[in-house]
Amino acid sequence: MKSLRMSKDGRHQQQQQDRKVSGSEDDEENTICSGAAIKRSVVYYLKNTTLHGLKYIAEESITIPERVFFGIAFLVVVILSGFFISNVYSKWSASPIIISTSAKQKLTSNMPFPAITICNLNQALYSKVDSISRTSTNFSLLMGLCDQGADTSISYIGTWKYFKAILVEVAQPCEKMLLYCSFGSRQEDCALLFNSILTDDGLCCNFNALDPSYLIRNYSDDVRWEPAQPNMRYEPIDWTPEKGYARKLPEFYYPRTSGGTGIRMGLTVVLNASIAEYYCTKSMSVGFKVLVHNPAELPKVSNYGFVVTAGREARIPIEPVYEDALPSIRSIKKSVRRCLFSDENELIYYRTYSRKNCELECEAKLLLRECSCVLYYLPRIDPMARVCGPNDNLCTDRVQTEIESSLTNLSCESCWPGCFELTYKATPSTASIVTDPRFMAGENMPDYLFHGPYSNASEMSILHFYYMTNIFRSTTKSEMFGFTEFLSNTGGLLGLFMGFSIFSVIEIVYYITVRPYCASRTLKQQHNRRLEQLGWLTPIRPPVRKLIRRHRWAGLPPPSYSEVYKRSFSRKKDKPETGRTGKLQKKSFWQTLQVRPAEMKTPEYPYME
């Protein structure tokens, strides 16, 4: 009976010990997520953080009113820093772009000489128009060119093919208008310098513009007004304000660059107005309308050109204005920087993006939508669209007026400036031409100009285009407030008010993630070691459990350790079981009975206090 009572007491102690082990495991798991553990962790963070003022809130040696004072002071500091940071952010988001003068000077020799478009104010020769029947379709198209829409009975629907034919027939050709040409102190054939181009003032003569194959996206030969000359000395090349010229260039090419400064190295032309042939014009004078523009843009001479009357000599100094941009502003929204790179808005008709090219396409789309036609000089975005005739003048005038006023829905506000743009500033001045034989002119002009069939000075105009200097400074669009500047200003404010730094963020991340994970891992390791220490008291093998159960049923004392050992290895052929290494399990059993060395001191966490 005594032995039976001892065995019952032993089993009772064993059960209590097992419950303590399992209960300690549950307590340790609940301790990590308990409110008290979180509170201790927060107090520990407040005492050890690098942020200014928080350690006074957790200080136990000061009174509660003092803690409240420091807490309110910290809140006020946070609010003030947030207010100033919001001001910095508003400045960063509202005006991130600054336009500054480039520190590096540019050479005019690296830029193309401007494209120059010259139009006779007379849009149709009287001798040509006089032979056209007033009831023919050609005359209907001519009235559209001359902007004469009083006769609304004219309802002919024109096509591009017929309009091109009548325009070539009645307009003054460039070889008749240009009497003399020189560029870079060398006289040249005007037919090799100038090409015919269609503008809102009719058929005009253009110098140094991009070849149509590089200007128009879907190029075809019918775009040209005269066939390309295969034996030209100068080879056409591509150029854009953003990419500039290619690295390898042919010996002779166009768009040409300037050979130097002054009248001698510029472009000089002598023009013939043919006043006797005037039939219709958009102005009240005789002479020429001139526009200096970008070689990659089609000119709109009627609105933006300046007039040089017949019988005058004009000197037109030119100043290039170049705007570029740094690649860093690409990350800024288009609506904020208000400019576009060439690959951000591809046009339908033109290959090179610019604001003027975009506006021409926009005007063509609006006219096609509102009037079901396109004016003759606008891009043919729809090859099947008809050319506007005299009966469409009321509609086209209304649409153009609304586009230029930009106060209605018919506007081209989506055509933003290009981030890279090249424009030219021209300041013309004129004087009367004197051809008195007693007057000795200093200009090196051929004698046939003043003594030949076109020697009437009242019908002649002399134009000089030239650079004043061979260097200029461009303007650059760059980030006024980039992310680096915003981060430095924000960090300065936070450091001034709270002592905040990047390491403060690391501290917060550490106390939220790393520290709880390490504490949980340490508790789990301690629990596993505790189970290993008590593992030799716990019957875990099925044969041992059966042996203990038999002893309980028989009322016998628990089996001895030697009996447990023998029973645990009484399996197949009564041979001890071997592990993966082939060694007996007897070794691991005796290792369990050995006294373990003192454990190393583990890190202390507030969860484990």
Side-chain angles (χ1 to χ4, degrees), residues 464-476:
H464 305 279
F465 303 90
Y466 57 95
Y467 283 142
M468 295 288 291
T469 178
N470 59 355
I471 58 173
F472 68 99
R473 291 187 182 275
S474 63
T475 58
T476 302

Side-chain angles (χ1 to χ4, degrees), residues 80-98:
L80 287 176
S81 60
F83 171 74
F84 288 111
I85 289 173
S86 66
N87 291 342
V88 173
Y89 179 79
S90 300
K91 186 177 180 181
W92 177 45
S93 59
S95 55
I97 299 295
I98 183 173

Side-chain angles (χ1 to χ4, degrees), residues 128-411:
K128 299 291 185 179
V129 176
D130 191 48
S131 61
I132 300 176
S133 174
R134 297 298 185 266
T135 60
S136 65
T137 56
N138 287 345
F139 188 76
S140 173
L141 293 175
L142 181 61
M143 290 300 99
L145 173 65
C146 293
D147 201 14
Q148 301 296 320
D151 189 0
T152 57
S153 63
I154 302 175
S155 59
Y156 174 75
I157 299 177
T159 61
W160 172 252
K161 180 179 179 181
Y162 291 116
F163 188 83
K164 178 180 178 181
I166 187 62
L167 194 59
V168 171
E169 182 181 349
V170 301
Q172 183 186 27
C174 291
E175 57 266 20
K176 297 294 184 181
M177 184 175 69
L178 298 165
L179 304 179
Y180 171 83
C181 300
S182 69
F183 182 74
S185 71
R186 183 175 58 188
Q187 182 178 353
E188 295 196 28
D189 185 3
C190 294
L192 299 179
L193 285 179
F194 284 82
N195 296 313
S196 298
I197 186 173
L198 187 62
T199 70
D200 52 348
D201 253 11
L203 198 61
C204 303
C205 302
N206 178 266
F207 165 76
N208 210 42
L210 276 178
D211 189 79
S213 59
Y214 295 108
L215 184 62
I216 299 172
R217 186 172 297 278
N218 297 319
Y219 168 75
S220 59
D221 289 335
D222 64 337
V223 176
R224 294 184 182 272
W225 288 90
E226 63 267 346
Q229 302 180 16
N231 297 325
M232 284 187 61
R233 182 181 180 186
Y234 288 86
E235 179 182 347
I237 62 171
D238 193 14
W239 173 89
T240 62
E242 185 170 345
K243 298 179 181 178
Y245 286 110
R247 293 185 178 180
K248 294 183 179 180
L249 296 173
E251 184 179 1
F252 301 101
Y253 58 89
Y254 73 93
R256 306 187 188 188
T257 58
S258 171
T261 59
I263 291 178
R264 187 185 301 274
M265 300 304 296
L267 173 68
T268 298
V269 293
V270 179
L271 307 174
N272 174 34
S274 298
I275 300 175
E277 291 282 353
Y278 267 51
Y279 177 78
C280 65
T281 178
K282 292 184 178 180
S283 64
M284 300 300 294
S285 59
V286 293
F288 303 91
K289 192 173 288 186
V290 184
L291 181 64
V292 179
H293 59 93
N294 188 321
E297 297 175 352
L298 259 70
K300 203 168 183 181
V301 184
S302 181
N303 284 349
Y304 306 109
F306 59 89
V307 174
V308 178
T309 60
R312 309 284 292 183
E313 180 182 9
R315 294 199 173 197
I316 307 160
I318 298 171
E319 179 184 357
V321 179
Y322 183 65
E323 299 178 5
D324 57 6
L326 297 181
S328 58
I329 70 172
R330 278 183 177 268
S331 58
I332 302 174
K333 294 181 180 180
K334 301 176 186 177
S335 58
V336 177
R337 54 179 154 98
R338 304 293 294 182
C339 74
L340 296 176
F341 289 89
S342 59
D343 57 349
E344 291 180 331
N345 188 5
E346 292 188 355
L347 301 178
I348 300 174
Y349 188 76
Y350 299 107
R351 293 182 58 183
T352 303
Y353 177 84
S354 69
R355 185 173 188 173
K356 294 187 181 299
N357 288 348
C358 179
E359 288 174 346
L360 288 175
E361 282 196 7
C362 175
E363 184 177 349
K365 293 177 183 178
L366 293 177
L367 284 172
L368 192 60
R369 188 185 70 185
E370 298 293 326
C371 306
S372 301
C373 65
V374 178
L375 290 172
Y376 65 89
Y377 60 87
L378 291 176
R380 288 179 290 150
I381 55 179
D382 184 4
M384 304 304 296
R386 67 180 181 90
V387 178
C388 296
N391 56 320
D392 299 309
N393 282 0
L394 293 177
C395 180
T396 56
D397 290 343
R398 176 183 61 84
V399 172
Q400 288 182 316
T401 302
E402 292 183 1
I403 291 175
E404 293 171 359
S405 64
S406 67
L407 298 177
T408 61
N409 295 330
L410 296 178
S411 63

